[in-house]
Amino acid sequence: MPGNKPSNKHLGKPARQLLFLEALRQNRAPPSTPQEHLTNQPSDMADASQGATMDRILQEISAVGRRLEGMDSRMISLTEETKSMRLDIAGFQSRVTTLEQRLTMVETQATLAADRDQELLYLHSKVIDLEDRSRRDNVRFLGFPEEIEGADAQSFLKNILSQLTGLIFDPPLEFQRANRLSPKCREGANHPGPIIACFLRPTQACQLLQKARMQGPFRMNDLQIQMTADFSNETSECIKAFLALRPRQ
């Protein structure tokens, strides 16, 4: 009808454009079609998925950063411990060096002490040998009661030895010295001390000792008189030990 307002669908293309521009001026967005709404929905879902992925990545990066900070603190503590261990090792090395030096000194002193011990043993054996050589003309007489020899032991031995042994000495017995061993030098104070005589002629001493080995102890009344060589104490102990180990026949 001529009085009514014409609708949009009956307007031409220029008129629709004018209405669209007018709507833009009034800050009104043009109505979206259903096709546009369906097209924008997957895009929004992709944006949301990408945002969630970025959040997870940021969270993981933050966790890795915290772990790295913990590892840094541990590395710092390990570095400090390593420094302290190096200092301790250096102290131990200095102590070991000092101990090695002391050990070297001790070994040197031990070697010197061993050499001195060997030298002392050699000198001791030489002294024993010299003592035995100086006593090779001596004879010990065991079993004579105390003071039986009187004041002159040489005269007593000259008179009694021929009677005891039955030997005839030609020339007569002669002594360089003869005396009874003092009580201070005796091993047993309750037993009479031996009389030690140094013969002027070594052959007479050997003759007496040979007779004593063959016959054994001599009898004088109720007494047993023994005659032995006058060795040093060390040699006498060795002889006793040898006789103790030797099997009896």
Side-chain angles (χ1 to χ4, degrees), residues 7-96:
S7 61
N8 291 336
K9 64 181 181 178
H10 295 287
L11 296 175
K13 185 177 180 180
R16 288 198 302 272
Q17 292 179 351
L18 290 175
L19 289 174
F20 184 77
L21 292 173
E22 184 64 22
L24 289 175
R25 291 191 187 97
Q26 295 178 2
N27 293 329
R28 291 187 301 175
S32 60
T33 61
Q35 185 177 2
E36 292 178 350
H37 179 72
L38 293 175
T39 304
N40 292 334
Q41 185 175 5
S43 176
D44 294 340
M45 293 177 65
D47 292 340
S49 175
Q50 290 179 357
T53 303
M54 291 298 296
D55 291 339
R56 286 196 302 272
I57 292 173
L58 290 175
Q59 290 176 359
E60 292 178 357
I61 291 173
S62 299
V64 171
R66 288 192 296 271
R67 292 178 182 177
L68 290 176
E69 290 178 358
M71 292 177 66
D72 289 338
S73 62
R74 292 179 183 177
M75 288 296 294
I76 293 172
S77 63
L78 287 174
T79 303
E80 295 296 331
E81 291 179 359
T82 304
K83 289 181 181 179
S84 64
M85 290 175 65
R86 287 179 180 176
L87 294 175
D88 294 338
I89 291 172
F92 289 145
Q93 288 178 347
S94 63
R95 292 180 182 178
V96 168

Side-chain angles (χ1 to χ4, degrees), residues 148-203:
I148 192 175
E149 71 278 9
D152 190 358
Q154 294 187 21
S155 299
F156 171 75
L157 291 176
K158 287 179 183 179
N159 297 326
I160 200 67
L161 289 179
S162 295
Q163 300 176 12
L164 283 176
T165 61
L167 295 175
I168 299 174
F169 298 99
D170 187 21
L173 292 175
E174 293 186 67
F175 304 97
Q176 295 183 16
R177 58 186 177 275
N179 61 281
R180 188 181 290 272
L181 192 65
S182 64
K184 295 181 181 180
C185 301
R186 301 176 192 174
E187 296 181 358
N190 297 327
H191 297 85
I195 296 176
I196 301 175
C198 179
F199 285 76
L200 183 62
R201 300 176 181 86
T203 55

Side-chain angles (χ1 to χ4, degrees), residues 92-247:
F92 289 145
Q93 288 178 347
S94 63
R95 292 180 182 178
V96 168
T97 303
T98 304
L99 290 175
E100 288 179 349
Q101 294 176 354
R102 290 184 178 180
L103 181 60
T104 302
M105 293 176 59
V106 170
E107 288 177 348
T108 303
Q109 293 177 359
T111 303
L112 294 176
D115 294 340
R116 284 195 296 267
D117 290 341
Q118 293 293 331
E119 185 178 1
L120 288 174
L121 288 174
Y122 173 74
L123 294 176
H124 184 63
S125 64
K126 293 291 289 183
V127 169
I128 294 173
D129 181 65
L130 291 174
E131 186 177 357
D132 289 333
R133 287 177 181 273
S134 66
R135 296 183 178 189
R136 61 186 175 183
D137 297 334
N138 294 357
V139 177
R140 286 195 177 203
F141 300 96
L142 306 174
F144 288 116
E146 292 283 349
E147 300 181 357
I148 192 175
E149 71 278 9
D152 190 358
Q154 294 187 21
S155 299
F156 171 75
L157 291 176
K158 287 179 183 179
N159 297 326
I160 200 67
L161 289 179
S162 295
Q163 300 176 12
L164 283 176
T165 61
L167 295 175
I168 299 174
F169 298 99
D170 187 21
L173 292 175
E174 293 186 67
F175 304 97
Q176 295 183 16
R177 58 186 177 275
N179 61 281
R180 188 181 290 272
L181 192 65
S182 64
K184 295 181 181 180
C185 301
R186 301 176 192 174
E187 296 181 358
N190 297 327
H191 297 85
I195 296 176
I196 301 175
C198 179
F199 285 76
L200 183 62
R201 300 176 181 86
T203 55
Q204 293 178 344
C206 292
Q207 187 178 2
L208 274 175
L209 293 175
Q210 186 177 4
K211 182 71 174 180
R213 283 193 295 268
M214 293 176 59
Q215 185 173 341
F218 299 98
R219 302 290 302 184
M220 188 181 75
N221 298 329
D222 294 334
L223 302 176
Q224 286 188 353
I225 308 301
Q226 296 179 351
M227 301 178 191
T228 61
D230 185 31
F231 293 113
S232 61
N233 293 332
E234 289 81 0
T235 305
S236 299
E237 292 297 328
C238 291
I239 292 173
K240 290 179 182 179
F242 174 77
L243 294 176
L245 294 175
R246 187 177 63 178

